[in-house]
Amino acid sequence: MQFNPHPTTVISGWYDTQDFLEIDTSQGAQTVKMMGVGEYSLQSEPRKKIALKIANGTTRPQYIAFNSAKGANAQNDEADNQVTMMEYTGTGYAVSSLKGYITQGNSMTTTEGRIVSAECIDTSVTPSLACVCVRESDQTCPTDCTCSDIVEPTPPPTSAVSEREMCFSTFLIIKCSHLMFISYLQPTISPTTPAPTPVPTPGPTASPTVSASPTKAPSPSPTKAVSGLTMMY
């Protein structure tokens, strides 16, 4: 059997409302990761969409699904592992018609000119996944969707550096920096100290200096002071 994406959106309680998305291309192109309803029991976080509705402002909306041929849908006879588009006319639970199906790397255009493309399909993973883009002709599909749920592990931690190794590394860095600084300095053009004097300073005198000869006799005695008043004649 083949699960029609329109009836599954109107049957209350068929699956979580987070698994259905209505796309309005006036807000920009969207690329959505989808899984088949036949593997719905394998749904996990982050959740994948089961059905899409293209908001086109008409009474004939289109619905998109990924027709994964696994699980309850393993015995499907048409459009295995392809993206399918249905068109619906009416209200509530009513008949909808298959408009086409899309293989990986291909696309189809709706009556209103919207482009639906299967960016990638991967049936080697569990559950099978497809990235489906809905856009206008002048829009570009976002590339943030991949057909994989594999999360790349973070690199293993590096071994701890011993204190001795750290000190030695620090020493080498300081030493290299010092040598680089010295090599950066250019030598001066001439010595910074003044040139020596052309001749040496005078040497010491040959003998001590001699004072003047002494007098032959003692100097006269000092005169006596006159006592009393000097008589005037």
Side-chain angles (χ1 to χ4, degrees), residues 80-151:
D80 285 354
N81 301 315
Q82 297 178 43
V83 175
T84 60
M85 183 170 70
M86 303 287 179
E87 190 172 75
Y88 163 73
T89 302
T91 58
Y93 188 83
V95 176
S96 56
S97 59
L98 176 66
K99 302 301 293 183
Y101 34 83
I102 312 165
T103 57
Q104 176 174 281
N106 294 307
S107 63
M108 66 178 298
T109 304
T110 69
T111 306
E112 295 74 30
R114 291 170 180 83
I115 301 171
V116 180
S117 58
E119 299 295 292
C120 63
I121 295 174
D122 191 351
T123 59
S124 65
V125 296
T126 302
S128 296
L129 298 172
C131 285
V132 179
C133 175
V134 181
R135 64 181 178 89
E136 302 283 352
S137 59
D138 59 347
Q139 296 173 336
T140 302
C141 294
T143 58
D144 55 350
C145 181
T146 58
C147 291
S148 173
D149 276 344
I150 299 174
V151 179

Side-chain angles (χ1 to χ4, degrees), residues 5-226:
H6 165 249
T8 59
T9 64
V10 298
I11 298 175
S12 177
W14 185 263
Y15 46 73
D16 196 291
T17 56
Q18 297 180 67
D19 305 328
F20 170 73
L21 177 66
E22 183 170 346
I23 295 179
D24 184 356
T25 54
S26 67
Q27 303 300 316
Q30 292 191 52
T31 303
V32 183
K33 182 175 292 189
M34 303 189 72
M35 64 180 289
V37 68
E39 294 183 288
Y40 185 69
S41 61
L42 303 178
Q43 178 70 284
S44 62
E45 299 296 338
R47 302 186 74 85
K48 278 70 68 176
K49 302 304 179 185
I50 300 296
L52 307 177
K53 177 183 178 181
I54 303 176
N56 56 17
T58 73
T59 58
R60 304 176 69 89
Q62 287 94 29
Y63 291 82
I64 308 297
F66 172 43
N67 194 42
S68 171
K70 286 184 179 180
N73 203 37
Q75 303 303 317
N76 174 58
D77 293 329
E78 186 178 9
D80 285 354
N81 301 315
Q82 297 178 43
V83 175
T84 60
M85 183 170 70
M86 303 287 179
E87 190 172 75
Y88 163 73
T89 302
T91 58
Y93 188 83
V95 176
S96 56
S97 59
L98 176 66
K99 302 301 293 183
Y101 34 83
I102 312 165
T103 57
Q104 176 174 281
N106 294 307
S107 63
M108 66 178 298
T109 304
T110 69
T111 306
E112 295 74 30
R114 291 170 180 83
I115 301 171
V116 180
S117 58
E119 299 295 292
C120 63
I121 295 174
D122 191 351
T123 59
S124 65
V125 296
T126 302
S128 296
L129 298 172
C131 285
V132 179
C133 175
V134 181
R135 64 181 178 89
E136 302 283 352
S137 59
D138 59 347
Q139 296 173 336
T140 302
C141 294
T143 58
D144 55 350
C145 181
T146 58
C147 291
S148 173
D149 276 344
I150 299 174
V151 179
E152 293 296 330
T154 56
T158 56
S159 57
V161 180
S162 66
E163 184 176 351
R164 180 176 179 180
E165 290 174 332
M166 185 177 296
C167 290
F168 183 69
S169 298
T170 304
F171 169 76
L172 289 179
I173 292 173
I174 295 174
K175 184 175 180 180
C176 290
S177 299
H178 178 67
L179 292 175
M180 289 175 65
F181 176 74
I182 292 176
S183 62
Y184 176 76
L185 296 177
Q186 299 297 324
T188 56
I189 298 176
S190 59
T192 55
T193 56
T197 55
V199 294
T201 57
T205 55
S207 58
T209 56
V210 181
S211 60
S213 300
T215 56
K216 296 180 179 180
S219 58
S221 300
T223 58
K224 293 182 179 180
V226 179

